[in-house]
Amino acid sequence: MSLSVSHLLGIKNLTLADIELIFSTADEFKDVINRPIKKVPSLRDITIANVFFENSTRTRISFELAQKRLSADVVNFSASGSSVKKGETLLDTVNNILAMKVDMIVMRHSSPGAPHFLARHTPTCIVNAGDGTHEHPTQALLDAYSIRQKYGEVAGKKVAIIGDIAHSRVALSNIFALQKLGAEVMVCAPATLIPTYMQELGVKVEHQVRKALLWCDVANVLRIQLERQEVKNIPSLREYSLYYGINKKLLESIDKEITIMHPGPINRGIELDSDVADSGQSIILDQVENGVAVRMAVLYLLAEKLKPNFKK
Ligand code: NCD
């Protein structure tokens, strides 16, 4: 079995079989990272550059750990402190990195489509680690993998994505992944934070957080992406928190156990209170743990397409 794609640009162009293959491969790597020696030699002759034009904590460390656990050689680039500040183009930056014999690029960029552009114009394998407001495929894979871990399967589960749907790449990638896996998806936010095309994607739209919580098995809570909003879409964070913030009192008033997820970074006290984020209902740190195994699976399966003779 191998992936139907040779880059990971988004969930949109993955098949259900691709996602299932990534999950079963991640299961094996999860065993590896829980062993005393957390390493396999699979990507020993592969060099990977992590090229980050936007801030990141989890995603970047998670990719780097995944690469190291697979024994790849790793170099890290971040736009601050680089020649991008001297006026170099994206294509020049990446072609210069590739000239140093790099096999794969993991990239994060503020412009939607930047990884798709590089996949067309460079000969390397590209993994999208978040392109602006568009997609964040490995986040959606690790989110769906965490739901599968919790419930045994994703099919039939009701997942409400609550928060800044319009500006979060996590929302779109999650919608594609969850739908492919047979879950029902709802988005919940003030109307100004929900794009009008949402209903065309076949997701339910809800504006009252209580109703969303009453409906769902899993609530994936997103941060308000103030850095991507050119106009003010909500009167204030305080008002958002008042109407959409998830706290213990609200959850206790709903007579069922909902699983709480968040891709991080959490703005505690705004979209999610600490007594929920740190409770037994939350699988936020499981998401982070699973991220390494899922990224190992993605890198391994893509490297297999570059050089088909790898052994795990
Ligand atoms: C998300 C991102 O960068 O898109 N974080 C992440 O990768 N874990 C979500 C966010 O920034 O809110």
Side-chain angles (χ1 to χ4, degrees):
M1 286 271 284
S2 70
L3 291 178
S4 69
V5 291
S6 45
H7 306 277
L8 181 63
L9 300 177
I11 301 289
K12 194 175 181 184
N13 40 11
L14 290 186
T15 63
L16 175 60
D18 289 331
I19 299 177
E20 284 170 346
L21 176 61
I22 292 168
F23 285 0
S24 58
T25 310
D27 287 340
E28 291 179 46
F29 287 131
K30 211 171 155 176
D31 289 343
V32 170
I33 58 179
N34 281 297
R35 293 201 300 238
I37 297 169
K38 306 178 185 57
K39 236 176 142 150
V40 283
S42 316
L43 299 199
R44 188 170 51 192
D45 37 11
I46 290 276
T47 305
I48 306 176
N50 298 313
V51 180
F52 277 64
F53 292 90
E54 247 194 17
N55 297 345
S56 172
T57 308
R58 267 156 299 272
T59 305
R60 186 165 158 167
I61 292 181
S62 181
F63 266 112
E64 190 171 343
L65 276 176
Q67 293 150 2
K68 289 184 167 158
R69 306 274 191 247
L70 291 166
S71 306
D73 287 323
V74 183
V75 282
N76 288 306
F77 163 95
S78 58
S80 55
S82 76
S83 288
V84 171
K85 297 271 177 263
K86 301 180 190 168
E88 189 169 63
T89 67
L90 173 64
L91 199 52
D92 278 341
T93 303
V94 170
N95 274 329
N96 276 273
I97 294 171
L98 292 178
M100 297 182 233
K101 307 292 174 222
V102 165
D103 302 294
M104 289 171 104
I105 300 265
V106 174
M107 70 172 293
R108 171 168 283 196
H109 201 282
S110 55
S111 298
H116 306 68
F117 168 79
L118 284 184
R120 270 199 308 277
H121 295 287
T122 64
T124 191
C125 166
I126 306 280
V127 180
N128 180 3
D131 61 327
T133 55
H134 182 216
E135 280 226 42
H136 190 351
T138 55
Q139 181 67 45
L141 289 168
L142 75 88
D143 288 344
Y145 185 86
S146 303
I147 295 172
R148 168 182 176 269
Q149 174 177 280
K150 168 89 192 187
Y151 293 99
E153 61 176 347
V154 178
K157 291 287 156 298
K158 291 179 174 169
V159 183
I161 307 173
I162 302 170
D164 189 352
I165 312 301
H167 303 95
S168 168
R169 48 199 173 209
V170 177
L172 192 59
S173 284
N174 259 269
I175 290 168
F176 291 143
L178 292 166
Q179 287 183 334
K180 284 180 200 236
L181 289 160
E184 280 185 73
V185 187
M186 174 186 277
V187 291
C188 175
T192 47
L193 293 179
I194 298 185
T196 48
Y197 60 78
M198 271 298 137
Q199 257 148 351
E200 285 158 41
L201 294 181
V203 302
K204 295 185 189 339
V205 175
E206 175 57 63
H207 301 299
Q208 289 185 38
V209 76
R210 200 183 147 74
K211 285 195 182 159
L213 292 172
L214 281 167
W215 174 84
C216 71
D217 303 305
V218 177
N220 194 352
V221 186
L222 306 178
R223 175 178 73 89
I224 302 292
Q225 309 252 319
L226 285 178
E227 74 275 27
R228 294 188 212 286
Q229 300 186 18
E230 276 154 31
V231 292
K232 259 188 142 188
N233 292 280
I234 47 171
S236 70
L237 283 180
R238 207 169 75 84
E239 185 162 319
Y240 178 82
S241 177
L242 204 60
Y243 287 101
Y244 288 91
I246 297 179
N247 54 47
K248 205 157 184 82
K249 196 162 151 236
L250 175 59
L251 285 181
E252 274 170 2
S253 74
I254 289 162
D255 192 22
K256 64 179 192 182
E257 178 95 357
I258 296 163
T259 299
I260 301 290
M261 302 175 67
H262 195 302
I266 304 173
N267 286 155
R268 287 176 182 258
I270 298 176
E271 72 272 14
L272 200 58
D273 273 11
S274 288
D275 52 10
V276 176
D278 306 330
S279 72
Q281 266 175 277
S282 152
I283 58 165
I284 294 172
L285 291 179
D286 298 322
Q287 291 173 260
V288 179
E289 180 186 336
N290 290 334
V292 178
V294 166
R295 292 188 170 105
M296 285 172 82
V298 165
L299 295 168
Y300 172 79
L301 291 165
L302 287 172
E304 213 178 29
K305 303 216 75 161
L306 285 173
K307 297 180 185 177
N309 296 325
F310 281 131
K311 289 275 167 300
K312 241 180 256 176

